[in-house]
Amino acid sequence: MKKFLTTLMMIGALASGMSALVTLPAHALVEIDVNKGTIEPLPIAITDFEGAGLGAEISGIVSADLKRSGLFAPIDNAAFIEKISNPDAAPRFDDWKVINAQALVTGRVSQEADGRIRAEYRLWDTFAGQQLAGEQFFANSANKRRIGHIIADAIYERLTGEKGYFDTRVVFIDESGAKNARKKRLAIMDQDGANVRYLSNGGAIVLTPRFSPSRQEITYMSYEGGQPQVYLLQLETGQRELVGKFPGMTFAPRFSPDGQKVIMSLMRDDGNSNIFAMDLRSRNTTRLTDSTAIDTSPSYSPDGSQIVFTSDRGGGSGRSQIYVMGADGSNPHRISFGDGVYSTPVWSPRGDLIAFTKQSGGQFQIGVMKTDGSGERILSTGFQQEGPTWAPNGRVLMFFRDQAGGPKLVTIDLTGRNEQSIPTANYASDPAWSPLLE
Amino acid sequence: MRRIAKLAANPVMIALVASLALAGCASKKTPNSAADLGLGAGAATPGSAQDFTVNVGDRIFFDTDSSSIRADAQQTLARQAQWLNKYSQYRIVVEGHADERGTREYNLALGARRAAATRDYLISQGVAGNRLKTISYGKERPVAVCDDISCWSQNRRAVTTLSGAGS
């Protein structure tokens, strides 16, 4: 079922609304079935948007996003026959069909009198000979890259029927310096590696940041003051606060789907760890596990009814495995039974899969399994890699892999065939994907 | 010629030879401590942090994914406890560490478990529990940085650190 971009969305941070130019309720011939095991990337022509400098920059962002998704194959501009002189007019579809461009994107970027950027795009189905979508956006110039990502998301959604994930950010740990004296800084960037901003100065070890699903807020662990504890950080104000007052180390935090709770591990005096949830409004904490084992890396199901976590309570040679329990701690049961050690389970935002790290045969693997543990699929194998995080549409995972002396960020889609590196200036680890921005 | 060239290429060796020569002379006058000779081992002032680190041994090692105190570690901890009981002015932080062959959060938990097991062993040897704290660094503070077993085994450790009296 395809959705049409008929609604006018308000993009909050863009400070202005946008309106659709034209949207025809056509039955598109061009489409991508993302549920197929093998996906042939769709040939798409993305013309340089009209408008000095900025136009081509923004269409370039659109092209790069779509290409990295693995679902689209942008055609080299040098092959274009028609030079688009008026992005509002219907193109000569035959000129695009002959170079096998099944979809065509045209657009224009201009500067408003008040300094804002205005960007318009049209998406054409060349074989059906019709326009599939057309929208315009206004943004202040600081958000120009977001315009490109928003247009890429719109095209992705129009042609796949799935929400995109390009207008998103990633919070991560920036790592620099020698391996035995690594400086770790909290950092945030766009999902494509642009616009890096540092959120801590590197004075204390920081680890495992995670996004709130509902607010511009992250939770993470820091060693500041000598006691490793879980904190909250408001991204807009920079305000920080400790999550609860506990006698021991707190770690492995993650938000509940409604953003009202933080679930995390608390180290007991005997050195073992249990899982607690803290309600951020009432500050009440609830103990969810009470075992003489390591219970950690909790992650809620998207409906908030269940929690998946890592535990070594089973003992033996299996070491840590993946367990699922009710959100109240009821009925914990093991779901991973493959040959290896499992950890870092993360529930897909779609609810259908759990991503994990598996150690097996001296390798580290990133994989997914159904929520009952069946249907395990390994997507990536490497010497040292871990920590998957889901794109908000549940189609792509980002994780970190040690290579050439330190960790770097990598994405892989659910087919396991489209792996992409995320460029970062320094080493980078512990990525956590934001929801789609609003 | 060959021999000299080889020595020249190894300044540590030369320094050591020089120190030993000095020791030979000095020993005729007074029984100096090794510290005066720049030799390190056995050199520290008794009761100093250096004494603890060098002469007692501040760290123990663990098997993969284990927090059991091995026999060799028990000997080290017994020596630590004896020393700590003698120099009771120190407070103690036991750091637990893991090698890199585990995921980050699990290794934080594993380091915590190793630190607690070490603390408990020291308590069993008579060290007062209220002098002891633990902290886990997971795999975030390796001492050995290669990508093989020789380094991983050094990183799976608990380190007993002294934090001055009354701190």
Side-chain angles (χ1 to χ4, degrees):
Chain A
M1 184 64 193
K2 290 200 176 286
K3 290 178 187 165
F4 295 104
L5 295 175
T6 51
T7 50
L8 305 185
M9 288 182 296
M10 173 71 185
I11 307 298
L14 294 183
S16 179
M18 62 188 183
S19 58
L21 293 175
V22 186
T23 305
L24 299 175
H27 297 286
L29 298 177
V30 50
E31 62 179 29
I32 297 172
D33 182 356
V34 292
N35 293 307
K36 285 199 303 190
T38 309
I39 296 165
E40 195 62 33
L42 182 89
I44 186 169
I46 300 165
T47 60
D48 284 351
F49 287 3
E50 187 185 297
L54 257 186
E57 184 180 347
I58 286 174
S59 53
I61 293 166
V62 175
S63 180
D65 279 346
L66 293 176
K67 184 174 188 204
R68 284 192 309 119
S69 77
L71 302 180
F72 298 88
I75 295 168
D76 186 348
N77 290 27
F80 296 173
I81 299 165
E82 181 183 9
K83 300 300 169 206
I84 299 294
S85 55
N86 176 5
D88 299 330
R92 295 196 304 268
F93 292 110
D94 287 344
D95 282 2
W96 299 98
K97 282 194 284 192
V98 78
I99 62 167
N100 194 33
Q102 300 195 28
L104 168 68
V105 182
T106 60
R108 174 190 290 122
V109 179
S110 55
Q111 198 97 28
E112 295 288 284
D114 61 7
R116 288 182 307 159
I117 295 168
R118 168 184 164 141
E120 311 154 48
Y121 82 94
R122 289 169 193 267
L123 172 64
W124 310 86
D125 183 332
T126 57
F127 284 79
Q130 64 191 23
Q131 179 176 314
L132 294 176
E135 294 175 279
Q136 66 177 353
F137 305 89
F138 296 93
N140 63 49
S141 57
N143 287 319
K144 64 184 180 185
R145 291 192 64 85
R146 283 197 62 194
I147 296 180
H149 296 312
I150 288 167
I151 292 173
D153 278 330
I155 293 168
Y156 181 100
E157 182 170 1
R158 184 66 184 80
L159 295 180
T160 68
E162 304 266 339
K163 283 274 183 203
Y165 56 92
F166 305 119
D167 186 29
T168 54
R169 291 188 285 175
V170 171
V171 61
F172 66 102
I173 301 300
D174 174 277
E175 300 196 17
S176 56
K179 191 171 179 179
N180 58 359
R182 202 63 42 91
K183 185 157 118 180
K184 296 188 169 83
R185 284 193 291 177
L186 203 54
I188 189 169
M189 64 184 179
D190 298 348
Q191 52 80 26
D192 60 356
N195 292 327
V196 175
R197 184 160 68 94
Y198 293 102
L199 305 172
S200 78
N201 62 14
I205 300 173
V206 287
L207 299 172
T208 63
R210 275 81 195 244
F211 257 101
S212 165
S214 54
R215 287 184 297 277
Q216 286 297 308
E217 185 176 27
I218 59 172
T219 182
Y220 65 105
M221 187 231 209
S222 171
Y223 279 72
E224 65 189 76
Q227 166 85 327
Q229 301 267 252
V230 169
Y231 290 81
L232 288 174
L233 172 64
Q234 311 294 331
L235 290 173
E236 280 157 9
T237 63
Q239 186 190 339
R240 286 182 315 143
E241 64 177 298
L242 196 59
V243 179
K245 287 201 165 160
F246 296 98
M249 172 175 71
T250 50
F251 62 108
R254 213 176 270 280
F255 285 96
S256 60
D258 63 4
Q260 296 303 328
K261 289 181 202 160
V262 167
I263 191 171
M264 60 194 163
S265 281
L266 166 64
M267 190 192 81
R268 309 196 319 183
D269 193 51
D270 68 1
N272 287 306
S273 304
N274 281 300
I275 294 172
F276 283 71
M278 168 173 266
D279 187 299
L280 294 176
R281 285 173 298 195
S282 69
R283 301 277 147 174
N284 291 333
T285 57
T286 310
R287 173 197 287 275
L288 299 176
T289 69
D290 189 5
S291 73
T292 56
I294 290 172
D295 293 335
T296 191
S297 301
S299 169
Y300 278 97
S301 63
D303 67 1
S305 69
Q306 295 177 88
I307 293 162
V308 64
F309 64 103
T310 298
S311 179
D312 67 353
R313 60 181 63 195
S317 60
R319 296 156 62 188
S320 74
Q321 295 292 337
I322 297 175
Y323 290 72
V324 169
M325 64 182 172
D328 59 356
S330 60
N331 186 30
H333 58 283
R334 179 173 165 181
I335 64 163
S336 63
F337 290 95
D339 179 22
V341 174
Y342 293 79
S343 57
T344 79
V346 194
W347 215 300
S348 159
R350 301 164 69 93
D352 55 344
L353 295 170
I354 290 166
F356 56 82
T357 307
K358 178 181 181 179
Q359 292 166 251
S360 181
Q363 301 281 301
F364 280 61
Q365 302 177 312
I366 305 297
V368 293
M369 58 175 67
K370 292 182 184 166
T371 59
D372 63 0
S374 67
E376 175 177 317
R377 284 198 297 130
I378 299 301
L379 303 176
S380 173
T381 298
F383 178 67
Q384 180 87 40
Q385 54 183 19
E386 63 176 280
T389 179
W390 289 95
N393 73 352
R395 290 282 171 198
V396 180
L397 291 164
M398 188 181 295
F399 57 96
F400 64 105
R401 173 187 291 157
D402 252 67
Q403 48 197 3
K408 290 291 218 175
L409 305 184
V410 176
T411 59
I412 191 137
D413 70 4
L414 281 185
T415 69
R417 291 189 180 84
N418 177 42
E419 182 180 300
Q420 303 283 335
S421 301
I422 307 299
T424 49
N426 299 318
Y427 295 132
S429 64
D430 277 352
W433 222 311
S434 80
L436 271 176
L437 298 179
E438 286 173 359
Chain B
M1 283 305 286
R2 257 185 108 105
R3 192 184 175 88
I4 289 166
K6 196 168 181 181
L7 277 174
N10 190 341
V12 174
M13 199 67 170
I14 289 171
L16 194 61
V17 169
S19 298
L20 284 169
L22 230 167
C25 297
S27 64
K28 287 177 186 167
K29 296 179 193 164
T30 91
N32 281 2
S33 78
D36 295 335
L37 310 174
L39 283 180
T45 309
S48 68
Q50 193 190 4
D51 179 36
F52 181 74
T53 304
V54 173
N55 296 324
V56 178
D58 66 346
R59 62 199 58 203
I60 61 170
F61 302 99
F62 294 86
D63 291 338
T64 299
D65 207 33
S66 167
S67 55
S68 298
I69 307 293
R70 304 192 314 215
D72 58 334
Q74 289 179 15
Q75 290 178 14
T76 304
L77 292 183
R79 286 199 308 274
Q80 285 188 5
Q82 198 177 19
W83 192 95
L84 292 167
N85 289 333
K86 185 172 176 185
Y87 301 107
S88 59
Q89 70 270 33
Y90 290 106
R91 288 178 176 275
I92 304 129
V93 177
V94 179
E95 298 176 356
H97 298 269
D99 67 30
E100 68 191 53
R101 303 304 280 173
T103 52
R104 195 165 246 172
E105 290 174 347
Y106 182 80
N107 277 358
L108 286 171
L110 181 58
R113 195 187 250 171
R114 285 173 175 162
T118 304
R119 174 203 60 197
D120 291 350
Y121 197 89
L122 290 172
I123 290 172
S124 79
Q125 299 293 304
V127 180
N130 61 11
R131 294 172 64 195
L132 287 156
K133 279 178 153 178
T134 63
I135 188 169
S136 172
Y137 285 102
K139 61 174 172 177
E140 309 308 319
R141 283 281 179 263
V143 287
V145 297
C146 66
D147 279 339
D148 61 45
I149 290 166
S150 66
C151 284
W152 301 334
S153 60
Q154 294 177 63
N155 291 333
R156 294 190 298 269
R157 68 199 192 278
V159 182
T160 303
T161 63
L162 306 176
S163 62
S167 66

